[in-house]
Amino acid sequence: MENLKESCLESRSLPRPGKGAEKRDEVCTEPEDKMSDDDVKLSILTHGLLHIFHLSCEDNVCDMTCGEGAAGFASLLSSGRVQFYYPDGRLRESSFSPSITIHYAGLTSTQIPGRLVGWGPGAILTLLDAELKPLVHAVEPMDVRVCKVREQSNELVSGGMGNVCVWCLTHLVCRKRVVEGLGTHMVITQLALVPDRAHCGPTALAAYGGAVVVVDLIEGRVVEHRKNLHLREITGLVYCPLTDSVVTASDMTIRVWGPDWELQMSFVGHSGQKMS
């Protein structure tokens, strides 16, 4: 196993936000280009990655998903073709004609064996079988740019231009449609789902531009906006349940945020844009 070394900058924590209504619209005011040397300290992180397989594709990969629905991994290529992989990374021969192409912007594997969801571009959301044949079309969908399945639930969460929606997975009937507090200029491009916690129910973290909006999935409403988390568009968003923290990526920077959105650490110095 080859060790990969990466330098990082650990930032001083931001002040905790106030209580009540002031928490709804918070702006972070310490972008990375304004941090002074006194605010940070240099650390060296070492981690190891084991290279298992490298598979080349004839076309660019537009989207990837994994789970029981795909029986491993599935990649959607720019040509509209879909390739399936076993959980260990080996290419799996499709049971249907490889010449079949689909016209979705992305695929999302579900927790139901043999069931995937095709979504976008635009107002398109469809439940597919293992051969990518349509089973159910969503009832009155809105614009879809990203889609996630809630763990241990039969619900699906989608986000797009000015909306976050919660769907019944088996029938694709919309249970919650959140548009209030989300203008059409807020195009959701990243989603991270947060499970039930002691102090609140399940929520969705939806990224637009350099900001994240927090959505209550039970009540179907916007809880708060966190603006200026990055100077440019957020290209990666992950929730870590072990530390109750949120990780965001933009350009060549990765940032780790605590439970109250205090900045815990900032990784800089990458040679390319971080996409996931």
Side-chain angles (χ1 to χ4, degrees):
M1 182 179 297
E2 180 182 359
N3 288 331
L4 304 178
K5 292 189 176 180
E6 176 179 281
S7 65
C8 70
L9 293 176
E10 182 175 356
S11 173
R12 181 175 57 186
S13 297
L14 296 179
R16 291 178 176 266
K19 302 296 183 180
E22 294 180 354
K23 190 177 179 181
R24 291 180 173 272
D25 199 358
E26 296 290 340
V27 178
C28 293
T29 57
E30 289 192 29
E32 59 268 22
D33 60 347
K34 293 184 179 180
M35 291 181 181
S36 67
D37 293 337
D38 294 335
D39 292 334
V40 296
K41 62 180 180 179
L42 182 65
S43 300
I44 300 296
L45 297 184
T46 302
H47 59 87
L49 297 176
L50 179 61
H51 189 150
I52 300 177
F53 283 106
H54 176 81
L55 299 174
S56 299
C57 298
E58 296 179 358
D59 305 313
N60 293 330
V61 177
C62 297
D63 192 39
M64 288 202 71
T65 185
C66 64
E68 293 184 50
F73 299 86
S75 62
L76 173 61
L77 307 181
S78 59
S79 62
R81 293 174 52 244
V82 178
Q83 290 185 336
F84 289 92
Y85 307 84
Y86 290 105
D88 62 5
R90 291 179 295 115
L91 184 65
R92 175 161 57 92
E93 294 296 332
S94 302
S95 59
F96 52 93
S97 172
S99 62
I100 293 179
T101 59
I102 61 176
H103 303 286
Y104 301 105
L107 287 175
T108 299
S109 177
T110 74
Q111 299 168 2
I112 304 174
R115 295 293 182 266
L116 298 94
V117 175
W119 48 268
I124 297 176
L125 192 66
T126 305
L127 183 65
L128 309 171
D129 65 11
E131 297 185 352
L132 304 179
K133 295 179 180 179
L135 298 175
V136 181
H137 295 284
V139 179
E140 298 182 351
M142 301 185 73
D143 177 67
V144 181
R145 307 292 179 98
V146 62
C147 184
K148 298 283 186 179
V149 173
R150 286 188 57 199
E151 293 185 4
Q152 300 179 347
S153 170
N154 66 339
E155 290 185 336
L156 183 77
V157 182
S158 66
M161 182 182 294
N163 78 90
V164 173
C165 297
V166 182
W167 304 86
C168 168
L169 179 58
T170 53
H171 301 96
L172 288 187
V173 176
C174 189
R175 292 178 172 174
K176 298 291 181 181
R177 194 184 302 266
V178 183
V179 295
E180 185 176 352
L182 298 173
T184 55
H185 65 285
M186 299 179 184
V187 180
I188 307 302
T189 56
Q190 299 287 331
L191 268 180
L193 303 183
V194 182
D196 291 301
R197 292 178 290 178
H199 57 283
C200 65
T203 58
L205 308 176
Y208 65 95
V212 170
V213 59
V214 182
V215 178
D216 187 315
L217 297 179
I218 300 300
E219 298 185 7
R221 64 181 181 88
V222 172
V223 177
E224 59 181 320
H225 287 266
R226 291 287 169 169
K227 298 181 179 180
N228 295 343
L229 299 179
H230 289 269
L231 295 178
R232 297 176 179 83
E233 181 181 2
I234 293 174
T235 54
L237 176 65
V238 176
Y239 170 74
C240 178
L242 296 178
T243 58
D244 194 19
S245 58
V246 179
V247 182
T248 57
S250 176
D251 280 348
M252 294 179 287
T253 302
I254 299 174
R255 291 183 154 191
V256 181
W257 306 90
D260 292 322
W261 292 94
E262 70 275 12
L263 182 59
Q264 295 184 333
M265 187 172 291
S266 182
F267 298 85
V268 298
H270 298 283
S271 58
Q273 186 178 28
K274 302 296 114 179
M275 301 303 297
S276 64

